[in-house]
Amino acid sequence: MTELRSQIIAAANDLFATAPNWAAIKQAGVHLLMVSEADGGFGGDWGDFEAVLSVAGRHALAQPLPETIVANYLLARAGHALKDSPMSIGSCVGEWRDGQFTGTVVSVPWGREATTIIGNMGRKLIVLPAANDIVNGCSPAGEARDILRYVNAPAIGAGYGD
């Protein structure tokens, strides 16, 4: 384990032990774990991500942190502005055309809390706003897994075939 990873684990342990709200997570900058330092993040890698998630799991952190870390990683790689608010990711079913998406994003972790969704449409990633039409659901473990419905919602390409 690298010295940096040891420091990340210690900091995450201290933070997650207090059952933080999103403001505390944002202040600590953990949501930017895998964004390069040049882009304002920590410059962490997938091993750091796994280490932070392991600590979050031990503390039963009830926040959309993994989803937001991955979403910011994807946004940074595609050259888009990073987000400080909770985000999520999911698979889109529908049509994206002329900057608009009509369809659903299924089984979205923390969909009801997310202000931005990174949707996967095969080989395309699109950035969607929070949904107005949400069907609350849950995983077998009782975690939020929602269906988000969109009609002509503004959507921008986020690389990978946009």
Side-chain angles (χ1 to χ4, degrees):
M1 178 181 326
T2 66
E3 178 65 27
L4 177 59
R5 187 162 302 151
S6 295
Q7 292 172 357
I8 290 170
I9 290 170
N13 194 50
D14 290 346
L15 177 64
F16 301 157
T18 64
N21 60 19
W22 190 258
I25 290 170
K26 178 179 128 181
Q27 182 177 356
V30 182
H31 64 298
L32 301 174
L33 176 69
M34 293 187 11
V35 173
S36 74
E37 290 181 58
D39 290 331
F42 282 98
D45 60 20
W46 289 104
D48 298 325
F49 178 72
E50 187 277 328
V52 166
L53 294 190
S54 180
V55 174
R58 281 196 302 276
H59 290 285
L61 180 68
Q63 295 288 338
L65 183 60
E67 296 81 9
T68 303
I69 290 172
V70 171
N72 268 321
Y73 169 78
L74 293 170
L75 287 173
R77 288 189 50 107
H80 291 279
L82 304 176
K83 309 280 185 176
D84 287 332
S85 56
M87 293 187 282
S88 196
I89 52 179
S91 294
C92 297
V93 178
E95 182 175 68
W96 175 52
R97 184 173 40 188
D98 299 326
Q100 294 185 323
F101 175 72
T102 296
T104 59
V105 187
V106 296
S107 194
V108 180
W110 298 92
R112 64 194 84 160
E113 303 290 331
T115 60
T116 302
I117 305 296
I118 304 296
N120 175 15
M121 293 190 69
R123 295 187 52 95
K124 298 176 188 169
L125 293 178
I126 59 173
V127 181
L128 294 162
N132 290 331
D133 186 359
I134 301 170
V135 178
N136 291 347
C138 64
S139 72
E143 302 160 325
R145 295 292 183 271
D146 304 323
I147 297 171
L148 311 181
R149 296 182 180 146
Y150 294 91
V151 176
N152 297 325
I156 58 173
Y160 306 101
D162 61 347

